[in-house]
Amino acid sequence: MRQSSLFLPTLREVPSEAEIASHQLMLRAGFIRQLVSGVYSYLPLGYRVLRKVTQIVREEMDRSGAQEISMPAIQPAELWQETGRWEAYGPELMRLKDRHDRSFVLGPTHEEVVTSIARDGINSYKKLPVNLYQIQTKYRDEVRPRFGVIRSREFIMKDAYSFDTTREGLDRSYQAMYDAYTRIFTRCGMDFRAVDADAGAIGGKGTHEFMALSDIGEDTIAYCSSCNYAANLEKAEVVYQGQPSEEAAAETERIHTPGVKTIQQLAEFLAVPAENTVKSLLFKLDQQYVLALIRGDHELNDVKLKNMFDANVISMASEQEVKDILGSPVGFVGPIGLEGKKVTVVADHAVKDMVNAVTGAGEVDYHLKNVTPGKDFSVQQYGDLRNIKEGDPCPQCGEEIRFARGIEVGHVFKLGTRYSEKMKATFLDEQGKEKPMIMGCYGIGISRTVAAVVEQNHDENGIIWPRSIAPFEIHLIAVNVKNEDQLKLAESLYETLLAAGYEVLYDDRPERAGVKFKDADLVGLPLRITVGAKAAEGVVECKVRKTGESEELSTDQLLDYLKATLSKL
Ligand code: ATP
Ligand code: MG
């Protein structure tokens, strides 16, 4: 492609709405443009990248045995009412009406549509398993669209759905997707981890999120410094080590603590470490109230609490509920004197080891000292209820846990029969018995993947594309197109490189050298060939964008050099 005719509107200034590097660079380098909040156009270079990622995804999905289809973005409300998600999905669902006042949604995902297709088209075990996928535009009215195409309201997703006759079949379909995702993100040049995530009611190894490691990521990943263990913060298991205190339990004391509200204030006021204090938090889990106790220096993990009770909905109790249920003011709640109250008391394992702890006294401006579980209050159930911390032991090998931030780029999930039961997507098994199909769903944010790769691969001058998804492989630059030797050599190299099968962006513009080099760094193609002062001798400069390494080569060495160098980028 000749750059003189390429539509490439670059920006000199950093756009003020862009907070992160990938967003700034994709705007500045003319890859994307915002139409309205969270809705973007892809310009020629951006679209080439998108197509390359799409192609990699398509190849690996096909290789895994999945079959590509295309489902509509417009979906009737009735389908969403069948699964209950018309209400449950909430305001993120883009709803619209046609001229007859019929309700529709713009699909944020396609479980309903694909399940209706399977229910119509599959009736026997003989037609299973099957995995259907598509690469298509999705709509979600995100509360806070941000970071450019990382969290947008219209975006491109690859979504796949597997249908099996047995749990073991689902495990195989899931593993095939897990392996395909690993190949896809590796091929895209991404630094990623597949992390164990919370699967809610399904439990077990029911879901993994593929995370691009990046400081701007919204999720915290706990990973092992030694083995391959990685999990979401909400999922990462804390191994209970059991280190009971040797101290003798003392007599409980009521202490006046005026104005003391937080654990930190309490620890300072009483001059005790935060780990000697207990936080008591009241939650509503479905219809029941639960008081969760956790060591003052630990963080409660509400997903773990929810799973302990197999609950569907968890919420923090309101001030009024705390008063009504415990008879205690917020901020001074404690586990003592709750006999006869309609509340279940549970605690994190670490609380079991505490002796002479500090807790709320259940009345304004008072706390209790020398409180010991077992002696002063009882706990119905102990469990793992806290977030893992850096330095805690890995649940797999015992080495130290560390934290990293991640951008979720893909998600594999065992759905089971959640949709097939509600929508009556059944098949007849070998005994002629009717059974619901066992499903899995698997998503990749294609547009988010592009931005995540930029987030991981850039410097202060611009983007650094991995070759596999770069818009072009080579940036050929004629430094001065008015110089006849330079122009002639550049033109002939352009033809040679195209004939050799390379994707070349040829900067043939009558611009100053400085402008051309700046633009080349910004756009970030993996390899640059500059035809300049030594053109008459048939010598050009080749520079690797990633490392900055450059060398002068005569044109007859060029093709060998390209073959060797590009294969490493
Ligand atoms: P998130 O927690 O980031 O909102 P999600 O759990 O809602 O993601 P899924 O429903 O699992 O996402 O969708 C599959 C994939 O689609 C995600 O892994 C992500 O890569 C991508 N994705 C989801 N929401 C968006 C969005 N608003 N903009 C761009 N990509 C998105
Ligand atoms: Mg979401």
Side-chain angles (χ1 to χ4, degrees):
M1 174 91 210
R2 285 175 186 274
Q3 207 164 330
S4 56
S5 45
L6 175 66
F7 178 55
L8 179 59
T10 54
L11 303 173
R12 295 272 163 260
E13 301 293 314
V14 177
S16 61
E17 76 269 26
E19 302 161 58
I20 57 164
S22 59
H23 189 195
Q24 292 169 357
L25 290 170
M26 288 173 77
L27 287 169
R28 276 184 56 211
F31 282 66
I32 55 169
R33 281 294 179 267
Q34 180 178 288
L35 179 64
V36 67
S37 169
V39 180
Y40 288 83
S41 303
Y42 287 82
L43 304 186
L45 289 188
Y47 198 56
R48 285 183 74 98
V49 177
L50 200 66
R51 272 176 26 214
K52 290 215 170 159
V53 174
T54 305
Q55 185 55 26
I56 290 173
V57 171
R58 182 171 280 131
E59 282 170 18
E60 295 300 342
M61 291 306 289
D62 289 347
R63 175 133 80 110
S64 78
Q67 302 168 55
E68 187 166 8
I69 61 172
S70 175
M71 292 179 273
I74 295 184
Q75 309 174 7
E78 290 79 8
L79 263 188
W80 286 73
Q81 282 152 354
E82 268 187 58
T83 60
R85 288 212 291 183
W86 175 253
E87 283 83 28
Y89 214 92
E92 220 173 85
L93 193 59
M94 294 261 202
R95 297 159 209 255
L96 69 157
K97 285 195 169 166
D98 73 2
R99 63 173 77 203
H100 308 295
D101 213 33
R102 252 188 96 180
S103 295
F104 291 85
V105 310
L106 290 179
T109 176
H110 278 70
E111 282 83 4
E112 280 79 1
V113 178
V114 81
T115 307
S116 81
I117 291 173
R119 142 177 97 185
D120 291 347
I122 298 170
N123 48 26
S124 155
Y125 72 93
K126 288 182 198 149
K127 293 188 182 164
L128 292 169
V130 73
N131 184 335
L132 303 174
Y133 81 96
Q134 64 171 348
I135 295 168
Q136 194 248 18
T137 307
K138 297 280 188 277
Y139 301 86
R140 293 183 184 182
D141 201 354
E142 297 277 353
V143 204
R144 230 182 122 210
R146 62 183 198 144
F147 295 168
V149 298
I150 286 188
R151 185 171 297 288
S152 49
R153 298 198 291 171
E154 175 175 317
F155 59 97
I156 299 173
M157 196 202 285
K158 183 287 298 174
D159 45 327
Y161 306 88
S162 64
F163 298 86
D164 277 277
T165 56
T166 60
R167 278 265 155 202
E168 296 68 44
L170 170 61
D171 290 345
R172 279 191 295 274
S173 299
Y174 184 87
Q175 190 61 40
M177 286 296 100
Y178 183 100
D179 295 341
Y181 278 33
T182 303
R183 295 194 299 268
I184 287 167
F185 294 120
T186 305
R187 282 182 65 184
C188 289
M190 187 183 275
D191 183 13
F192 69 96
R193 285 262 188 161
V195 311
D196 203 358
D198 176 64
I202 297 175
K205 293 238 178 262
T207 170
H208 284 86
E209 288 170 355
F210 285 75
M211 294 283 188
L213 301 183
S214 163
D215 288 342
I216 67 109
E218 293 175 339
D219 298 281
T220 301
I221 303 163
Y223 70 96
C224 178
S225 53
S226 168
C227 76
N228 67 356
Y229 179 82
N232 263 353
L233 192 56
E234 60 188 24
K235 172 84 182 181
E237 191 193 327
V238 177
V239 185
Y240 172 54
Q241 289 167 304
Q243 293 163 327
S245 164
E246 309 268 285
E247 239 177 275
E251 197 62 29
T252 303
E253 256 178 73
R254 181 167 163 271
I255 314 172
H256 192 217
T257 52
V260 167
K261 294 233 164 68
T262 65
I263 287 287
Q264 204 195 339
Q265 288 167 346
L266 182 64
E268 272 168 28
F269 187 86
L270 297 176
V272 296
E275 61 238 50
N276 278 7
T277 67
V278 176
K279 279 188 275 196
S280 311
L281 304 162
L282 185 67
F283 286 88
K284 193 174 181 192
L285 287 151
D286 294 340
Q287 292 317 313
Q288 65 173 319
Y289 288 94
V290 173
L291 187 70
L293 309 180
I294 189 117
R295 224 169 71 179
D297 60 324
H298 287 157
E299 262 173 45
L300 184 100
N301 180 317
D302 54 2
V303 173
K304 289 180 180 176
L305 181 61
K306 189 171 140 213
N307 290 344
M308 185 187 237
F309 285 85
D310 230 340
N312 292 312
V313 187
I314 180 168
S315 61
M316 195 89 192
S318 67
E319 210 171 321
Q320 192 58 48
E321 285 173 307
V322 172
K323 271 209 185 90
D324 293 348
I325 300 298
L326 304 175
S328 164
V330 171
F332 302 92
V333 172
I336 295 181
L338 300 178
E339 296 74 25
K341 306 243 154 86
K342 284 208 180 73
V343 64
T344 307
V345 179
V346 298
D348 181 64
H349 286 306
V351 172
K352 199 172 2 189
D353 294 338
M354 297 176 81
V355 172
N356 299 334
V358 178
T359 71
E363 52 180 317
V364 178
D365 285 347
Y366 280 92
H367 280 86
L368 298 175
K369 241 172 101 170
N370 299 337
V371 174
T372 302
K375 171 172 89 64
D376 299 303
F377 65 93
S378 54
V379 169
Q380 211 127 340
Q381 193 183 342
Y382 284 98
D384 171 19
L385 290 180
R386 71 167 172 98
N387 283 339
I388 202 163
K389 287 191 311 202
E390 280 188 287
D392 279 343
C394 166
Q396 212 162 266
C397 76
E399 285 302 311
E400 261 187 34
I401 284 292
R402 298 210 181 114
F403 281 3
R405 308 285 291 172
I407 305 169
E408 183 196 318
V409 286
H411 193 183
V412 290
F413 198 95
K414 290 181 188 172
L415 287 170
T417 55
R418 189 192 300 181
Y419 291 92
S420 50
E421 272 180 29
K422 283 196 176 125
M423 294 184 63
K424 304 199 172 47
T426 57
F427 66 96
L428 296 178
D429 72 5
E430 282 168 71
Q431 281 75 45
K433 210 172 141 222
E434 192 174 345
K435 286 187 172 157
M437 296 179 209
I438 301 175
M439 293 173 58
C441 69
Y442 317 92
I444 289 181
I446 305 259
S447 28
R448 186 182 282 186
T449 294
V450 171
V453 169
V454 176
E455 202 54 50
Q456 289 182 344
N457 299 278
H458 69 268
D459 60 17
E460 62 284 4
N461 299 318
I463 304 173
I464 304 171
W465 288 110
R467 180 194 187 189
S468 58
I469 64 168
F472 291 91
E473 298 168 288
I474 297 172
H475 212 153
L476 174 66
I477 297 183
V479 173
N480 178 2
V481 291
K482 290 199 191 98
N483 176 303
E484 224 172 274
D485 292 328
Q486 291 186 26
L487 184 66
K488 216 171 124 202
L489 183 60
E491 291 283 335
S492 90
L493 278 182
Y494 182 47
E495 294 308 325
T496 309
L497 295 173
L498 288 183
Y502 290 110
E503 295 178 6
V504 187
L505 180 61
Y506 170 30
D507 194 347
D508 59 342
R509 296 173 302 164
E511 289 282 358
R512 283 184 293 116
V515 172
K516 293 189 174 196
F517 292 141
K518 254 196 152 58
D519 281 349
D521 278 347
L522 182 60
V523 164
L525 303 186
L527 198 90
R528 183 165 100 191
I529 303 175
T530 306
V531 182
K534 294 189 179 164
E537 305 153 41
V539 172
V540 297
E541 186 212 46
C542 294
K543 187 171 176 189
V544 175
R545 174 70 181 91
K546 189 171 176 174
T547 58
E549 282 164 33
S550 72
E551 51 189 301
E552 289 192 340
L553 294 170
S554 72
T555 47
D556 51 350
Q557 298 170 296
L558 193 60
L559 288 181
D560 286 341
Y561 167 86
L562 289 179
K563 207 166 164 195
T565 309
L566 275 171
S567 65
K568 288 181 271 173
L569 298 178

